Amino acid sequence: MKLYTYFRSSAAYRARIALNLEGLAPEMIPVHLQKEGGLNRKPAYRAGNPQMRLPALELDSGEVLIQSLAIIEYLDELHPQPPLLPRDPLARAKVRALAQVIACDIHPLNNTAPLRYLKHQLGQEQAKIDAWYHHWILEGFDALEALLGPGPYAFGSEVTLADVCLVPQVANARRFKVPLDKFPKIVAADAACNKLAAFEKARPENQPDAE
Ligand SMILES: N[C@@H](CCC(=O)N[C@@H](CS)C(=O)NCC(=O)O)C(=O)O
């Protein structure tokens, strides 16, 4: 397998964590999202992933999977130990909801493409773009903080898909200096996860393409 990744991509970071948790070590293929306007937009990458985003997982069959949550659930179904989703349907729905607060409602608004659009097409100055970025993280984290359980992880005593999404989003928040003091449960779940090797190995600064 090959994972198309970029050290700073938080969606690729999710996939890296899940692969590590499942004990899988695909070949890492870095795709630079800034160089030459984004190497993800070149025909070579677009041929495998018409959406031109990261991550993509190329299977040994040559099939290419896109969308981090779809990739992670695929891996989880093939490698059920450790499970990233609980067996109980109610618990599964709750874990997916936590993951989707991040992956569907926070992250898409703060992604490279909409931020570039705000800057270049809508002519917004950097201070306004930073305010936008902070706003959507703070609003989403308010909800997550209220939804999170007692820990140590986002959904209790086991690592789940919720943690796989939470840790990269917290890393983004820190990178863009979003204050986290209002979110003790989020900070504690992030800290608990980062003690685990699978999370540590997936960190942006530990990637071969880190700058
Ligand atoms: N919902 C997608 C989001 C993928 C995504 O937007 N990835 C970003 C990096 S975190 C990307 O490739 N951006 C490049 C671009 O928009 O040009 C997923 O979960 O995989």
Side-chain angles (χ1 to χ4, degrees):
M1 284 192 300
K2 292 177 185 161
L3 182 75
Y4 293 85
T5 175
Y6 176 56
F7 76 109
R8 261 197 198 124
S9 156
S10 50
Y13 189 175
R14 291 176 204 147
R16 295 195 301 261
I17 296 168
L19 284 157
N20 293 341
L21 286 167
E22 305 291 2
L24 300 168
E27 186 184 349
M28 295 287 174
I29 313 280
V31 179
H32 205 292
L33 290 187
Q34 308 292 344
K35 232 180 238 172
E36 301 170 32
L39 299 185
N40 56 313
R41 299 189 170 270
K42 303 282 180 204
Y45 185 68
R46 189 179 194 165
N49 178 359
Q51 201 195 8
M52 299 181 283
R53 294 194 181 205
L54 294 172
L57 184 71
E58 187 176 327
L59 306 180
D60 292 340
S61 63
E63 200 90 53
V64 177
L65 296 181
I66 67 167
Q67 285 291 337
S68 61
L69 296 189
I71 292 170
I72 293 165
E73 289 210 25
Y74 169 82
L75 293 171
D76 196 41
E77 282 163 20
L78 283 191
H79 305 274
Q81 290 308 323
L84 295 177
L85 285 167
R87 285 181 68 104
D88 170 55
L90 184 65
R92 279 171 95 83
K94 288 186 174 181
V95 167
R96 283 194 172 118
L98 295 175
Q100 288 172 23
V101 168
I102 296 165
C104 304
D105 293 340
I106 301 177
H107 178 257
L109 292 164
N110 289 346
N111 218 338
T112 333
L115 297 183
R116 270 199 197 133
Y117 190 80
L118 285 173
K119 187 169 192 144
H120 300 299
Q121 273 75 24
L122 302 183
Q124 296 301 312
E125 61 204 40
Q126 194 56 43
K128 288 210 170 134
I129 297 172
D130 291 345
W132 164 281
Y133 196 101
H134 282 220
H135 173 78
W136 295 114
I137 292 191
L138 290 168
E139 193 189 83
F141 276 12
D142 268 338
L144 270 183
E145 183 70 16
L147 290 165
L148 249 48
Y153 303 115
F155 193 68
S157 57
E158 304 295 334
V159 167
T160 65
L161 182 64
D163 301 290
V164 170
C165 293
L166 182 77
V167 167
Q169 191 60 61
V170 171
N172 278 353
R174 291 211 167 99
R175 186 170 154 232
F176 286 87
K177 308 210 175 341
V178 177
L180 296 177
D181 36 301
K182 270 172 54 196
F183 309 116
K185 287 198 274 179
I186 292 177
V187 169
D190 175 69
C193 289
N194 279 313
K195 287 190 187 132
L196 306 175
F199 284 81
E200 170 68 18
K201 196 174 153 210
R203 291 172 71 87
E205 62 271 29
N206 295 338
Q207 301 317 298
D209 59 326
E211 290 165 2

